[in-house]
């Protein structure tokens, strides 16, 4: 029963985030998309390397 309550809370939270994001969110400009497309692969690489290091230690 606890699992069902937790899942219901998670789905409600996601539903709320999507609804509010569509209502109040602003679309990104091409300049912002360009900045993120340069930074995100670096961050993903750093997170993968840190996860590997954490597993080894």
């Amino acid at each position: 029963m606890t699992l069902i309550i937790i899942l219901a809370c998670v789905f409600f939270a996601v539903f709320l985030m999507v609804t509010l994001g569509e209502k109040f969110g602003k679309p990104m400009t091409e300049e912002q998309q360009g900045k993120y497309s340069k930074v995100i692969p670096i961050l993903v690489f750093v997170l993968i390397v840190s996860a590997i290091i954490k597993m080894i230690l």
Side-chain angles (χ1 to χ4, degrees), residues 9-21:
C9 291
V10 168
F11 284 124
F12 178 73
V14 170
F15 172 76
L16 192 64
M17 286 189 305
V18 169
T19 305
L20 292 176

Side-chain angles (χ1 to χ4, degrees), residues 4-5 8 19 26-29 32-33 38 45-46 52:
I4 293 173
I5 294 171
T19 305
K26 293 185 278 184
M28 288 197 315
T29 63
Q32 288 175 325
Q33 290 176 357
K38 291 178 184 175
F45 176 75
V46 169
I52 291 171

Side-chain angles (χ1 to χ4, degrees), residues 23-37:
K23 188 172 185 178
F24 297 111
K26 293 185 278 184
M28 288 197 315
T29 63
E30 289 187 21
E31 182 179 309
Q32 288 175 325
Q33 290 176 357
K35 287 180 185 177
Y36 286 130
S37 69

